């Protein structure tokens, strides 16, 4: 189902000089927003009647309004006051159609769902609006139609989070890859590329791939892809793997422990000094 739709409210008083503008919320996948696409949307609304071309008359002829005798205004008695107001039958025009159009019952407009083709330019983001001139609601009695604003809303993506023209993604790596450095295949919107993870990369570290983000619909410049490295703790170890890991760990718990795991070491120091302060 496409997004919902509602008419904008005219500001201030006075008679509208054209039909209402409409807003249409269009949900797009990230790929559709990034690369652009053609969409068919179904817009419910009020359009000028085909049968009478908006005049409301079956034969194009009109006659003087019998209610106001062509004055466009009528006097209403309100207590002791006599008040003038617009004629309810002709809505102030002073004329009514002789034979009402059968299709619209003389209204000049009908409710109809229209199918429209919308070209979405590449690089749009949530909140961007595409204006379709004259595709809003039909104007009253032959006045021009309003505009239709198609407002883009980009859906969440399974891999990428969008931040303006930048894309963010998490890249899980193994402990050894993070420690020794590695070439990792990462997805981009243009396909897979190789990401160089430098040696001694910590979990949470971000690596920026320039120009691998979204090409801006306004500036034409491409944003970046920001890969956040997540070091994955190995699970379901075999007996052999467990022994190797224990050996490795033992080798790092000697006198040089601070050198191999500086954060863990300074954390432990902090904990020690915390307890000594608490207990002293
Ligand atoms: Zn009609
Ligand atoms: Zn009248």
């Amino acid at each position: 189902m496409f997004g919902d739709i509602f008419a904008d409210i005219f500001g201030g008083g006075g008679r509208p000089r054209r039909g209402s503008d409409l807003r249409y919320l269009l949900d797009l996948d990230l790929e559709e927003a990034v690369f652009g696409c053609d969409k068919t949307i179904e817009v419910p609304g009020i359009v000028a009647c085909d049968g009478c071309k908006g005049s409301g008359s079956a034969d194009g002829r009109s006659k003087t309004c019998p209610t106001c005798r062509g004055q466009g205004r009528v006097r209403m008695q309100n207590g002791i006051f006599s008040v003038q107001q617009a004629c309810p039958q002709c809505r102030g025009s002073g004329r009514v159609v002789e034979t009402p159009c059968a299709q619209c019952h003389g209204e000049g407009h009908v409710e109809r769902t229209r199918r429209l083709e919308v070209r979405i330019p590449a690089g749009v983001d949530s909140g961007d609006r595409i204006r379709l001139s004259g595709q809003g609601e039909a104007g009253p009695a032959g006045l021009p139609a309003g505009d239709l604003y198609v407002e883009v809303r980009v859906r969440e993506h399974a891999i990428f989070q969008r931040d303006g023209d930048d894309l963010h993604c998490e890249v899980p790596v193994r402990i050894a890859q993070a420690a020794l450095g590695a070439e990792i295949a990462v997805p981009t919107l243009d396909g897979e590329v190789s990401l160089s993870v430098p040696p001694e990369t910590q979990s949470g570290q971000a690596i920026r791939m320039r120009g691998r983000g979204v090409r801006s619909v306004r500036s034409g410049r491409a944003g970046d892809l920001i890969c956040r490295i997540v070091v994955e703790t190995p699970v379901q170890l075999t007996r052999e793997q467990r022994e190797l890991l224990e050996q490795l760990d033992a080798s790092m718990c000697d006198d040089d422990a601070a050198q191999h795991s500086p954060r863990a070491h300074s954390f432990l120091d902090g904990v020690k000094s915390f307890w000594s302060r608490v207990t002293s």
Side-chain angles (χ1 to χ4, degrees):
M1 184 58 203
F2 285 109
D4 59 317
I5 185 154
F6 52 89
D8 285 343
I9 294 158
F10 265 93
R15 292 165 64 91
R17 280 163 296 154
R18 54 177 211 146
S20 300
D21 289 340
L22 294 175
R23 189 175 79 144
Y24 186 97
L25 282 175
L26 178 62
D27 289 317
L28 296 177
D29 290 333
L30 180 62
E31 289 87 345
E32 293 176 317
V34 168
F35 296 117
C37 58
D38 290 324
K39 280 280 180 186
T40 304
I41 61 173
E42 295 191 342
V43 185
I46 295 165
V47 295
C49 172
D50 285 338
C52 59
K53 297 191 165 50
S55 72
S57 166
D59 51 12
R61 291 214 299 261
S62 62
K63 62 180 181 185
T64 302
C65 173
T67 302
C68 62
R69 296 188 189 85
Q71 297 301 302
R73 304 185 75 77
V74 288
R75 286 195 168 277
M76 301 286 282
Q77 202 66 31
N78 183 357
I80 59 164
F81 298 105
S82 171
V83 183
Q84 264 206 356
Q85 65 178 53
C87 170
Q89 191 183 355
C90 63
R91 296 191 185 107
S93 69
R95 297 193 72 78
V96 291
V97 298
E98 259 184 49
T99 316
C101 166
Q103 287 181 38
C104 63
H105 309 290
E107 293 294 325
H109 47 76
V110 289
E111 279 185 33
R112 193 193 301 150
T113 297
R114 293 166 296 149
R115 291 169 71 85
L116 296 172
E117 298 289 326
V118 190
R119 173 145 291 186
I120 307 296
V124 294
D125 200 356
S126 289
D128 284 341
R129 303 201 303 176
I130 295 141
R131 188 169 71 109
L132 300 183
S133 182
Q135 297 290 0
E137 272 191 2
L143 291 169
D147 297 333
L148 174 67
Y149 289 91
V150 177
E151 184 171 327
V152 169
R153 203 164 51 177
V154 183
R155 294 190 190 95
E156 295 278 308
H157 192 271
I159 297 172
F160 301 110
Q161 292 86 50
R162 185 169 178 180
D163 176 21
D165 297 325
D166 290 338
L167 293 175
H168 294 255
C169 74
E170 284 197 346
V171 178
V173 300
R174 298 190 301 276
I175 284 181
Q177 291 176 311
L180 306 176
E183 294 290 318
I184 308 275
V186 295
T188 72
L189 291 169
D190 309 309
E192 245 177 40
V193 295
S194 184
L195 171 69
S196 287
V197 177
E200 300 188 1
T201 295
Q202 298 293 350
S203 199
Q205 207 166 310
I207 303 175
R208 185 176 286 263
M209 301 185 88
R210 299 224 173 262
R212 296 289 186 180
V214 181
R215 193 163 291 280
S216 166
V217 70
R218 292 176 184 80
S219 70
R221 280 197 305 272
D224 301 332
L225 173 63
I226 295 143
C227 299
R228 202 171 76 87
I229 301 298
V230 179
V231 179
E232 187 174 25
T233 304
V235 296
Q236 301 203 14
L237 299 176
T238 64
R239 187 190 185 89
E240 190 190 2
Q241 287 166 336
R242 176 178 292 272
E243 283 169 9
L244 286 168
L245 207 52
E246 282 168 353
Q247 278 179 39
L248 175 66
D249 194 51
S251 77
M252 293 198 298
C253 288
D254 57 15
D255 295 342
D256 292 336
Q259 189 186 325
H260 302 308
S261 313
R263 275 176 70 184
H265 195 79
S266 65
F267 175 73
L268 281 178
D269 280 352
V271 170
K272 274 180 209 155
S273 71
F274 170 75
W275 281 116
S276 65
R277 277 202 309 279
V278 168
T279 53
S280 64

